[in-house]
Amino acid sequence: MNAPRLPKVAGINSSDSRVPSPAHTAQPSDEHPAAEGSASPGSAGTAAPKSSAEALQDQLAGWVTDLTTLHEFTESLSRTATLDAALHEILRAGALLVGARRALIVVEPGDGTETTVGLGLGRADLGHIETVPRSATSYGRLLDTPAGLPGGEREIAHPDLLSEDDLDPRHREVAARLGYAASYALPLASESAGRVGAAVWLYDEPAEPSERQRHLIGLYARQATEHLARLLELERARAVTATLAAELLPPRLPRVASVQLAVRHRTGAHGGGDWYDALPLPEGALGLAVGSVTGSGPSAVAAMGRLRASLRAYAVMEGEDPVAVLSDLELLLRLTEPARSATALFAHCEPAVRRITLAGAGHSPPLIVGARRTEFVETSLSAPLGMLACWEAPSVEVNTEPGETLLLYTDGLLRRTGEPMDRAFARLHAAASGAARAVREDPEALTDHVLRTLLPEETDGAPAALGPDRPGPLDSPDRPGHPGHSEDVVLLAARFA
């Protein structure tokens, strides 16, 4: 006679999961009457009853295993530094804990924004789920009930969705289309953080988590909520810093005869102080500037705004002498912000004769890109502003050929490659020299080409044009292979006709 089959409960295959099988928790009875027809205790094939000490040992072993599992998952979650990475980690760990294959998270931090992330669900799948009336979805019921569900429940389980008579018709249609038959949902909420979202795990067949799995996922969800709340606050601060930086930079590039301008600006994860400027000067001249102040966050952004505004004033008064412009800027920085240093490069351009006079203070040399040459301008070596008691360095005069482009950039472009500086310079030169002829003739295309070549992983799926009024996304500082993601990037191109 076959042994009776246990009812199906959502579990995890021990061959592909770190979550162990449930430990024995029931206390054994003092008496163990043998079933009729069963073998005696000493017969082969019959296990001896466990003592109370053995049962307690099994129970403690199960607790230790559960704590170890939760520690591993929460430690992995704590290493995520961006909201997107944290959401995917929560979905992955939760799927292992409850034995599901697919899942989704809906984050609503209370500021009017909503973010939906899926595990094993593509954009089209998430779109189908979003067509279900919100009140008929598990996450919608959890998010739209401020104090939780009636009766104090903090979870929603549908062990067999398609057998429910009161299931919304659209929900039934979407479930059948996507091939899930059961779901288990939890709110992402805690006393200190409040409610930040809800997570739903989907099963391919009718199933539900065991009591032990529900306990583990509940503990994990509370820890995940605290981490998400911190990341959401950090994302808000980053967004404010990026907006502030964008507002302090030129809203648009000027139109100057015989010159085509293009710029790309990206704010780093911590909000740095990289800046650029392009301003018309008397007698048809054009002033170009790039620079960076030390530090990060709102204070660095504010210092960047003050420095740029001061440089504009000095450029209007004595722009034909870049050394005088940077000397005045250095004196101002040393007197007003003695604890801060900065790098800067200023170029006075005469488009009519394609003549450029420039000076740099601790800044990377510009790059000239043309049909016959791609070479760095040999600027004199000088210290950053604020590093010496008196700054001064000779200027350099450069004459460009028709159709050549001057590329100005900040060090963040080089650091984001993750390469040593000498190799980063070589990669920049190779990227510019390898551009096709049509790309070299268009400064917009050239800046995009350089970014795609130097930072391919960052530009995948990014907008083709990141101009002054379209700052780039806040990049992850912990993205593998790109240790410089906390750096700002500025790339300014000027093509002379």
Side-chain angles (χ1 to χ4, degrees):
M1 180 177 180
N2 294 332
R5 180 169 298 179
L6 296 175
K8 181 171 182 179
V9 178
I12 302 176
N13 191 329
S14 59
S15 64
D16 59 1
S17 170
R18 289 177 286 175
V19 181
S21 58
H24 296 289
T25 57
Q27 295 290 343
S29 173
D30 293 337
E31 297 181 0
H32 300 277
E36 184 178 355
S38 64
S40 62
S43 302
T46 303
K50 288 190 176 183
S51 65
S52 298
E54 291 174 328
L56 179 60
Q57 185 176 8
D58 285 350
Q59 184 179 11
L60 291 175
W63 289 345
V64 170
T65 302
D66 289 348
L67 289 175
T68 301
T69 300
L70 285 176
H71 174 72
E72 291 178 357
F73 285 149
T74 53
E75 186 179 39
S76 179
L77 177 62
S78 67
R79 289 195 294 266
T80 59
T82 62
L83 182 63
D84 186 68
L87 293 177
H88 282 92
E89 175 61 24
I90 293 171
L91 290 176
R92 185 195 66 83
L96 290 173
L97 288 173
V98 302
R101 187 173 65 87
R102 292 177 290 177
L104 64 97
I105 282 183
V106 179
V107 178
E108 288 185 352
D111 57 1
T113 61
E114 178 179 307
T115 301
T116 303
V117 175
L119 173 69
L121 298 169
R123 291 183 178 271
D125 299 332
L126 294 175
H128 286 305
I129 293 175
E130 290 175 351
T131 63
V132 179
R134 185 180 172 95
S135 60
T137 63
S138 299
Y139 68 83
R141 293 170 57 192
L142 290 172
L143 293 174
D144 295 339
T145 306
L149 298 176
E153 295 178 352
R154 300 298 298 165
E155 62 181 7
I156 299 179
H158 292 287
D160 191 353
L161 270 171
L162 301 181
S163 68
E164 297 180 9
D165 295 334
D166 58 346
L167 187 67
D168 182 271
R170 180 56 184 166
H171 196 174
R172 186 186 305 276
E173 179 182 348
V174 170
R177 182 187 186 96
L178 300 184
Y180 65 88
S183 66
Y184 179 71
L186 279 180
L188 297 174
S190 67
E191 293 183 3
S192 59
R195 184 194 63 205
V196 298
V200 185
W201 289 274
L202 306 176
Y203 301 95
D204 296 341
E205 298 178 358
E208 63 178 322
S210 66
E211 287 299 321
R212 172 176 167 273
Q213 290 173 323
R214 295 182 188 214
H215 178 65
L216 288 177
I217 191 62
L219 294 174
Y220 179 75
R222 283 193 288 273
Q223 293 293 326
T225 299
E226 297 292 338
H227 185 65
L228 284 180
R230 290 190 292 270
L231 289 180
L232 286 168
E233 193 64 31
L234 181 59
E235 290 288 340
R236 294 190 193 102
R238 290 173 176 172
V240 170
T241 302
T243 302
L244 177 61
E247 291 297 324
L248 290 175
L249 292 173
R252 63 184 58 85
L253 295 175
R255 293 186 177 183
V256 179
S258 303
V259 180
Q260 291 177 277
L261 297 174
V263 69
R264 299 294 180 264
H265 173 238
R266 293 187 179 182
T267 305
H270 303 303
D274 286 15
W275 53 276
Y276 65 90
D277 208 345
L279 66 156
L281 297 175
E283 300 180 1
L286 171 68
L288 299 176
V290 292
S292 176
V293 301
T294 56
S296 61
S299 64
V301 173
M304 172 267 288
R306 292 191 293 268
L307 204 65
R308 172 180 166 267
S310 301
L311 184 139
R312 290 177 70 91
Y314 299 144
V316 170
M317 293 186 296
E318 47 192 355
E320 69 280 357
D321 185 357
V323 173
V325 172
L326 294 185
S327 296
D328 292 343
L329 197 64
E330 193 275 337
L331 178 61
L332 176 71
L333 185 69
R334 183 155 44 88
L335 294 176
T336 60
E337 300 188 57
R340 195 182 297 277
S341 64
T343 67
L345 188 146
F346 178 74
H348 180 269
C349 307
E350 300 173 74
V353 293
R354 296 184 299 279
R355 183 167 56 241
I356 303 169
T357 306
L358 58 88
H363 207 83
S364 299
L367 182 66
I368 294 180
V369 183
R372 299 180 180 180
R373 63 171 174 169
T374 299
E375 60 185 31
F376 290 102
V377 177
E378 295 185 4
T379 56
S380 59
L381 183 64
S382 63
L385 302 176
M387 297 291 288
L388 300 177
C390 182
W391 178 91
E392 186 169 338
S395 61
V396 177
E397 186 174 296
V398 180
N399 292 299
T400 61
E401 298 295 330
E404 289 188 331
T405 299
L406 183 70
L407 283 181
L408 309 179
Y409 54 93
T410 57
D411 291 346
L413 176 65
L414 304 176
R415 293 197 182 100
R416 283 208 191 195
T417 63
E419 303 275 5
M421 292 302 285
D422 56 341
R423 295 183 60 182
F425 276 116
R427 287 187 57 184
L428 173 59
H429 185 278
S433 61
R437 179 178 178 180
V439 172
R440 294 186 182 204
E441 295 176 351
D442 182 359
E444 296 281 352
L446 181 60
T447 52
D448 288 334
H449 168 78
V450 170
L451 285 178
R452 281 195 302 267
T453 306
L454 263 64
L455 313 174
E457 293 187 12
E458 294 187 36
T459 51
D460 288 345
L466 299 175
D469 55 345
R470 294 176 61 185
L474 299 175
D475 297 305
S476 167
D478 63 345
R479 192 169 183 176
H482 290 273
H485 277 221
S486 60
E487 298 282 347
D488 285 9
V489 170
V490 167
L491 182 59
L492 176 62
R495 182 177 184 269
F496 296 89

